[in-house]
Amino acid sequence: MSKERGSFAARHDFDALPLSPDVDVRCAQFSEIAALSEMARRLVPGVQIGAMELATYFAFDPQSILTFTRNGNLLGGMAFMFLNDRGHDALLLDDICLTAPDTRHLASANEAVSAIYIWAIAATGRGIAGLGKAAAHLRQIRFHGADCYAQPSTVAGREIMRATGFEPISSFQPDLWCYERPWHRQPMRMPGAIIQARSFADARH
C-alpha cells in the first residue's frame, strides 16, 4: 500500500478520520478498473495485478474497490480483500497468495467477513483525504466485526499505518500490521469511569 503525496503528522484512529467534503468516495465502476489498475502499478511498489485480474475480483465483490474522485477527476482508489474465517487464518499463517488470492479465502455475500486486508491504497494529491469516507464504508454491518490488516510497502505507507492506529503484529505473514476496531478493544479501566466499546460502536453509525 502506498500514497504519492501528503502527510499524516497528526494521529487519528482509522474509524475516527474526518469525512472530507472535497473528495467523493464510492464503489468503483467496471469502466474505471483499467485506470485504477494502472494507477496502482504506478504508485504502489510490487503491485503486479493487471486490469483483467482486478476485474475478476471486482466481479466477485463490487464493494472491494473504491474510487476517490474530486470534481469528476479520478484521484485514486483503495482495494480490499474481504476474508472469511479460512482466509483470515491463511493470512496469519502466510498461507495465502496476496497477489492472486484464491476466491475460497474470500467472503461471499452470505459469509461473515472475518478480516479485511487492505490490498492497496493509491492516491495522488488530495486523494488521500478520501480515507475517512473509505473507513466509513468499512463500518457497514457486513464489515463491522472485521479488524483491518495491511502490509505497507513504502515509508509513506508506514506513515499512514502509524497515524491511523495500525500496529505491527506477530504472525507468520511478514511485516503484517493490524488495526483493531474500537468496539473490539477492552474497556478502559479508570476509577469511576466505565467506557463501553459497544456504545462507541453504536455512536459511529
Side-chain angles (χ1 to χ4, degrees):
M1 59 175 295
S2 176
K3 72 184 180 73
E4 187 175 80
R5 296 201 304 269
S7 175
F8 270 76
R11 181 185 173 93
H12 293 283
D13 206 71
F14 185 59
D15 277 299
L17 289 172
L19 306 181
S20 171
D22 295 332
V23 180
D24 295 319
V25 177
R26 56 171 173 73
C27 291
Q29 299 175 6
F30 185 81
S31 60
E32 296 169 314
I33 296 300
L36 288 169
S37 175
E38 187 280 328
M39 183 175 284
R41 288 198 306 273
R42 178 164 50 88
L43 297 179
V44 185
V47 168
Q48 299 174 353
I49 191 167
M52 186 176 297
E53 293 87 353
L54 194 61
T56 299
Y57 294 110
F58 174 74
F60 182 85
D61 195 331
Q63 290 191 305
S64 64
I65 303 175
L66 301 178
T67 59
F68 300 170
T69 60
R70 183 168 185 261
N71 298 327
N73 297 316
L74 183 65
L75 300 179
M78 194 166 179
F80 313 96
M81 294 181 201
F82 300 132
L83 303 174
N84 54 25
D85 288 337
R86 184 166 50 244
H88 191 178
D89 290 342
L91 175 67
L92 298 176
L93 295 171
D94 192 18
D95 194 27
I96 184 174
C97 179
L98 293 173
T99 55
D102 191 316
T103 53
R104 67 190 175 92
H105 289 139
L106 305 179
S108 62
N110 58 359
E111 274 186 301
V113 176
S114 179
I116 299 165
Y117 181 77
I118 300 176
W119 210 356
I121 301 171
T124 60
R126 285 173 166 260
I128 203 67
L131 278 182
K133 290 180 179 177
H137 174 75
L138 299 179
R139 288 194 292 275
Q140 297 179 68
I141 292 297
R142 183 187 177 203
F143 313 120
H144 198 266
D147 291 333
C148 300
Y149 296 84
Q151 289 176 299
S153 57
T154 64
V155 172
R158 279 179 168 75
E159 180 183 319
I160 294 175
M161 294 287 93
R162 292 192 185 97
T164 55
F166 283 77
E167 296 180 349
I169 63 169
S170 297
S171 73
F172 290 99
Q173 185 72 239
D175 199 25
L176 187 65
W177 293 51
C178 178
Y179 168 75
E180 186 179 24
R181 311 302 286 272
W183 41 92
H184 287 168
R185 302 170 197 167
Q186 291 296 318
M188 293 176 61
R189 300 185 181 278
M190 297 173 62
I194 299 176
I195 301 175
Q196 297 181 353
R198 183 67 217 177
S199 297
F200 179 89
D202 292 340
R204 298 302 306 168
H205 289 278

